[in-house]
C-alpha cells in the first residue's frame, strides 16, 4: 500500500498504526529498525546519484534513514502537514528551527509563558548572533500586532502552555504574523496531534517534543518539526550539515508510541479532569490551572480549538516553596521528575526545576510562583492518585 493512499483514504486512528509502512523482503508485521550509519551501493555511479540527489534513496543516517523517515511520515499525517523532520530532542527541534530560518538582524516574537530552556536558548544562544528576541504576553493580541514588524522571521508560542495552561488563539495570531511576512510556529506538546492540529488553524510550523506524550512511557528523547515540504526541505539542509538527528532506535520507540497516542490522550484527559475538579475543592489550594475546568480563564477557547484538554495541570498552594516542597515530598505514588507525558503520574516544582534557570523577574513575568506545583497526570487509577495527593495536602499547616 502506497504512502499517499494511506494519507488520503484513512482516518487518524488507522494512520497512527498503518501510515507509511514499507514491508521488507523479510515480510515483518512490526516496523523494522534500520540500525545503520550508512548504506552500501552496487556501483560508484549509484553512490554518486544518491549523494547528489539525482536518485532517490538513503545516503547517511544523519539525514536519511528508513525508520526515521517512517516516523516522520506518520507524524506528518497526524499533524495534517505535508512533511516532517525528526530531531534528537525537542530542544534540537528548536535549534533546527532557529538556525535554519534566522539571520542577523531578524526578529523573533515569542510568548513569555514558554518552557524555561526555550527562553534560555533564545536569550543566551540565538540573540548573540544578532537576532532580536521580543517577548509578549501570549494572549495580548494587540501586543503581538505591535511587536511583529517587517524584520520578524517567525512568531512562536506554546498552546496550551506549560505549566499554567495558557491557551492562545492560533487563528488570531496567524494573520498578524502573515501580514508582515512572518511564519507562525506553534509548540503543541501538551495537546499532541491527537488533540490539536495548529496547521489547520493557520500555523505554518508545528514543533513537538516527542519525548513527552508521543513516547508516553519516558523511554527516550525525540523532537520534530512539521510543515510544508518547502519549509521542511530548509530544515533538512541544516540537518545534513549540523546533524541534530533522531536515532533509528528512538524513531522505532516513538512509532510504537504513536500507535496508542489517541487512546492514551483520552485517558490522560479523563484522569486530569477528575484530579483538577478535586483540587479545586481543597482548602489549601489557591488556584488550579487546567483548561477542562469551566472556571479556567481559557476554557472556552480550549474547548473550541482542542478535541480534549490533555494530561497536564498545575496548582498553587498556600505557603510558597516550603509548602509546595512538603506536598511533593509527602507523595507516595507520584514520581518527582521534570519530565511529563508518562503513563506514571509525575510531579515537579517548576520554579526550581523546569523554570529554575530563569531569573526572578522572568519567573514573575511568566507566572511561575514559588507555591506552584505541576502534575503530569498518568494512567494509574485516578482515585489512588487523588487519595495520595489528599494526604499530602492535608498535612500542610
Amino acid at each position: 500500500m502506497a504512502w499517499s493512499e494511506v494519507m488520503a483514504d484513512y482516518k487518524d486512528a488507522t494512520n497512527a498504526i498503518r501510515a507509511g509502512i514499507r514491508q521488507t523482503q523479510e515480510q515483518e508485521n512490526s516496523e523494522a529498525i534500520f540500525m545503520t550509519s550508512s548504506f552500501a551501493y552496487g556501483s560508484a555511479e549509484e553512490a554518486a546519484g544518491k549523494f547528489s540527489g539525482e536518485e532517490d534513496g538513503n545516503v547517511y543516517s544523519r539525514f536519511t534513514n528508513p525508520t526515521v523517515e517512517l516516523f516522520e511520515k506518520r507524524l506528518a499525517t497526524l499533524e495534517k502537514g505535508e512533511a516532517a523532520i525528526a530531531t534528537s530532542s525537542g530542544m534540537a527541534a528548536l535549534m533546527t528551527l532557529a538556525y535554519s530560518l534566522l539571520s542577523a538582524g531578524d526578529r523573533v516574537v515569542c510568548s513569555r509563558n514558554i518552557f524555561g530552556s526555550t527562553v534560555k536558548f533564545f536569550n543566551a544562544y540565538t540573540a548573540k548572533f544578532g537576532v532580536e528576541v521580543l517577548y509578549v504576553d501570549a494572549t495580548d493580541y494587540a501586543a503581538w500586532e505591535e511587536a511583529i514588524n517587517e524584520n520578524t522571521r517567525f512568531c512562536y508560542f506554546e498552546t496550551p502552555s506549560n505549566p499554567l495552561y495558557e491557551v492562545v488563539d492560533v487563528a488570531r495570531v496567524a494573520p498578524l504574523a502573515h501580514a508582515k511576512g512572518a511564519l507562525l510556529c506553534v509548540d503543541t506538546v501538551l495537546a499532541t496531534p491527537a488533540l490539536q492540529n495548529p496547521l489547520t488553524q493557520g500555523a505554518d510550523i508545528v514543533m513537538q517534543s516527542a519525548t513527552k506524550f508521543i513516547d508516553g512511557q519516558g523511554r527516550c528523547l525525540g523532537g520534530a518539526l512539521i510543515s510544508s515540504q518547502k519549509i521542511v526541505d530548509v530544515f533538512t539542509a541544516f540537518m545534513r550539515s549540523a546533524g541534530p538527528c533522531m536515532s533509528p532506535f528512538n524513531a522505532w520507540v516513538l512509532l510504537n508510541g504513536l500507535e496508542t497516542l489517541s487512546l492514551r490522550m483520552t485517558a490522560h484527559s479523563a484522569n486530569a479532569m477528575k484530579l483538577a475538579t478535586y483540587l479545586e475543592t481543597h482548602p489549601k489550594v489557591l488556584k488550579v490551572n487546567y483548561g477542562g475546568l469551566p472556571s479556567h480563564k481559557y476554557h472556552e477557547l480550549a474547548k473550541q480549538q482542542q478535541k480534549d484538554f490533555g494530561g497536564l495541570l498545575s496548582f498553587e498552594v498556600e505557603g510558597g516553596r516550603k509548602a509546595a516542597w512538603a506536598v511533593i515530598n509527602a507523595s507516595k505514588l507520584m514520581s518527582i521528575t521534570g519530565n511529563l507525558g508518562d503513563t506514571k503520574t509525575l510531579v515537579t516544582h517548576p520554579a526550581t526545576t523546569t523554570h529554575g534557570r530563569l531569573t526572578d523577574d522572568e519567573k514573575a513575568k511568566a507566572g511561575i510562583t514559588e507555591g506552584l506545583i505541576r502534575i503530569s497526570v498518568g494512567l494509574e487509577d485516578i482515585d489512588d492518585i487523588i487519595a495520595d495527593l489528599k494526604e499530602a495536602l492535608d498535612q500542610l499547616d
Side-chain angles (χ1 to χ4, degrees):
M1 183 177 296
W3 153 246
S4 59
E5 291 174 338
V6 174
M7 182 174 66
D9 298 338
Y10 295 97
K11 295 184 170 61
D12 284 352
T14 302
N15 279 327
I17 295 170
R18 297 282 182 176
I21 288 177
R22 291 186 299 179
Q23 194 178 56
T24 74
Q25 69 273 15
E26 301 300 330
Q27 299 180 292
E28 72 282 350
N29 189 48
S30 181
E31 290 79 0
I33 309 175
F34 289 87
M35 291 296 293
T36 182
S37 57
S38 65
F39 303 86
Y41 310 107
S43 67
E45 289 82 2
E46 182 188 1
K50 294 288 184 6
F51 271 75
S52 68
E54 293 176 4
E55 294 183 26
D56 290 336
N58 300 304
V59 176
Y60 195 65
S61 278
R62 183 171 67 242
F63 61 100
T64 52
N65 178 276
T67 312
V68 177
E69 182 186 17
L70 176 55
F71 171 71
E72 290 169 341
K73 286 183 173 180
R74 195 167 289 179
L75 181 60
T77 300
L78 297 178
E79 290 281 11
K80 318 304 182 191
E82 288 182 1
I85 187 167
T87 60
S88 58
S89 69
M91 293 308 298
L94 181 67
M95 179 183 73
T96 301
L97 171 76
Y99 289 176
S100 296
L101 298 183
L102 296 172
S103 301
D106 287 343
R107 173 182 286 187
V108 174
V109 182
C110 184
S111 161
R112 284 197 179 91
N113 195 357
I114 55 175
F115 182 41
S117 292
T118 301
V119 175
K120 276 297 177 186
F121 173 78
F122 280 136
N123 290 352
Y125 299 105
T126 305
K128 75 177 183 179
F129 292 110
V131 173
E132 181 185 21
V133 184
L134 208 61
Y135 294 94
V136 298
D137 291 332
T139 58
D140 185 342
Y141 301 101
W144 281 105
E145 186 171 18
E146 183 177 350
I148 300 167
N149 64 10
E150 287 75 12
N151 294 327
T152 304
R153 188 69 178 93
F154 66 81
C155 301
Y156 180 93
F157 59 78
E158 297 175 11
T159 187
S161 72
N162 167 24
L164 297 180
Y165 211 106
E166 191 173 55
V167 181
V168 187
D169 191 334
V170 178
R172 286 187 68 177
V173 179
L176 301 178
H178 296 158
K180 297 295 178 66
L183 300 172
L184 174 59
C185 179
V186 177
D187 178 341
T188 184
V189 64
L190 298 189
T192 79
L195 302 186
Q196 185 174 357
N197 298 125
L199 294 177
T200 68
Q201 298 163 347
D204 302 286
I205 305 164
V206 167
M207 195 186 92
Q208 285 289 354
S209 174
T211 309
K212 309 303 193 295
F213 288 104
I214 287 176
D215 173 24
Q217 295 187 47
R219 298 167 294 190
C220 67
L221 302 180
L225 296 164
I226 306 93
S227 188
S228 67
Q229 186 66 62
K230 181 179 179 181
I231 292 174
V232 170
D233 285 345
V234 175
F235 299 147
T236 302
F238 174 80
M239 180 71 75
R240 183 166 186 164
S241 297
C245 52
M246 179 178 286
S247 80
F249 181 79
N250 285 15
W252 180 81
V253 171
L254 295 168
L255 277 166
N256 284 277
L258 283 178
E259 289 186 354
T260 61
L261 180 62
S262 181
L263 293 172
R264 287 186 286 106
M265 292 309 295
T266 297
H268 281 298
S269 298
N271 276 357
M273 186 66 202
K274 191 169 182 180
L275 179 58
T277 301
Y278 164 74
L279 287 170
E280 220 178 18
T281 68
H282 199 284
K284 296 295 183 180
V285 174
L286 299 174
K287 183 182 181 183
V288 181
N289 303 302
Y290 185 64
L293 294 172
S295 60
H296 187 63
K297 181 177 181 181
Y298 303 108
H299 173 69
E300 289 302 321
L301 178 57
K303 190 165 63 171
Q304 173 187 320
Q305 69 179 19
Q306 298 168 208
K307 297 175 186 175
D308 212 331
F309 303 103
L312 188 125
L313 60 83
S314 63
F315 63 99
E316 192 168 353
V317 292
E318 293 179 348
R321 181 186 297 189
K322 181 181 178 182
W325 281 12
V327 172
I328 292 169
N329 291 340
S331 169
K332 297 182 180 67
L333 281 179
M334 297 185 290
S335 301
I336 304 173
T337 176
N339 197 21
L340 61 90
D342 205 322
T343 54
K344 299 177 180 69
T345 295
L346 315 176
V347 63
T348 197
H349 182 245
T352 53
T353 59
T354 57
H355 293 68
R357 293 192 294 163
L358 301 185
T359 66
D360 288 344
D361 183 57
E362 287 170 334
K363 289 177 191 175
K365 288 179 178 178
I368 308 299
T369 66
E370 290 293 327
L372 189 70
I373 297 171
R374 188 192 77 183
I375 295 181
S376 174
V377 185
L379 302 182
E380 306 96 338
D381 189 301
I382 195 59
D383 290 336
D384 290 334
I385 298 298
I386 289 173
D388 184 50
L389 200 48
K390 179 180 185 304
E391 186 175 341
L393 286 164
D394 287 348
Q395 52 85 42
L396 292 178
D397 296 332

